[in-house]
Amino acid sequence: MDWMDPTWLLDRFGAELFWISLVIVFVECGLFFPFLPGDTLLFALGLFINAEKIDLFPGGPVVELLVAFVLLSVAAFLGNVVGYEIGRAIGPPLYHRDGRFLKRKYFDQTHEFFQRHGNKALVIGRFVPFVRTFVTVVAGVTRMERRRFFLWSAVGAVLWVGSILLLGYTLGQAFPSLGENIDKALIAILAFTVVPIAWEWWRHRRHGRNRSRGAEDELVRRAEPAETGHEA
């Protein structure tokens, strides 16, 4: 699938890839089409901007990076808003339909993720394919308060776009040849997107283990007086 390859898109569309990227990010974040190269595209844009392969605004690569950051963050946020409003309006029928692309299991997995992480799901979920697309719908279906949803969606959009775009830009500066070997560079973005999930999994596991240990200690403390009285 050539359209999933940022290098092919750059060769095909040139600097206009920037405007196409806004549409792709918007659609992936809100219009139920999770099979889009969101993470890899942001990373590649950082590389392309550093190498001046995308040059639409006067002021050099730094200005280009800042403009890209702002516009892509807005696109990601607006995509979330649209997905949320669709979820509020027609979420249950979409869930029960269990279509070819909008599978019920995607909604179930996202709902479980949302229940486990709460508000943070709107931030952490940005870094997880499929979850990024469906978490906004789940928030709409469950009637999450709009103000709270908008706040955490904005935070998630800024962190997601800013971190991955900047990662591509800085690695492009450190390793100028990286843009010519973007397939290998995508390993870095894969690792980067896995880190928040691994950290959250480890933290919850440790919390669950500590809670279990605390419950065991409480049972031991309650049992000790009973044993003492029995011996007396």
Side-chain angles (χ1 to χ4, degrees), residues 20-42:
I20 296 171
S21 299
L22 294 177
V23 176
I24 290 175
V25 167
F26 174 82
V27 170
E28 188 187 12
C29 289
L31 297 185
F32 315 125
F33 199 78
F35 307 101
L36 291 174
D39 294 328
T40 57
L41 184 59
L42 289 174

Side-chain angles (χ1 to χ4, degrees), residues 23-160:
V23 176
I24 290 175
V25 167
F26 174 82
V27 170
E28 188 187 12
C29 289
L31 297 185
F32 315 125
F33 199 78
F35 307 101
L36 291 174
D39 294 328
T40 57
L41 184 59
L42 289 174
F43 182 79
L45 282 174
L47 288 175
F48 297 155
I49 290 172
N50 174 71
E52 299 188 36
K53 294 180 179 180
I54 292 181
D55 186 12
L56 294 171
F57 307 101
V62 174
V63 173
E64 199 88 22
L65 183 70
L66 290 174
V67 173
F69 165 67
V70 172
L71 294 183
L72 287 164
S73 295
V74 170
F77 174 74
L78 291 179
N80 272 180
V81 171
V82 171
Y84 172 83
E85 294 299 340
I86 292 175
R88 284 183 69 99
I90 59 173
L94 285 175
Y95 173 81
H96 293 295
R97 182 169 175 267
D98 195 23
R100 181 178 178 183
F101 295 108
L102 298 178
K103 294 184 180 296
R104 186 179 299 173
K105 68 176 183 178
Y106 297 155
F107 287 98
D108 290 338
Q109 290 167 356
T110 305
H111 180 68
E112 181 183 351
F113 186 88
F114 193 79
Q115 289 293 102
R116 188 163 63 247
H117 298 289
N119 293 335
K120 290 184 296 182
L122 294 171
V123 178
I124 300 171
R126 286 281 186 181
F127 297 85
V128 186
F130 289 91
V131 171
R132 176 167 55 246
T133 299
F134 292 105
V135 72
T136 57
V137 186
V138 172
V141 171
T142 57
R143 303 282 173 160
M144 183 179 186
E145 183 188 2
R146 275 192 175 91
R147 183 176 179 180
R148 187 157 59 101
F149 173 81
F150 290 165
L151 172 62
W152 287 98
S153 289
V155 171
V158 168
L159 291 178
W160 179 56

Side-chain angles (χ1 to χ4, degrees), residues 185-199:
L186 294 181
I187 297 175
I189 189 58
L190 177 63
F192 185 78
T193 55
V194 165
V195 166
I197 306 306
W199 164 257

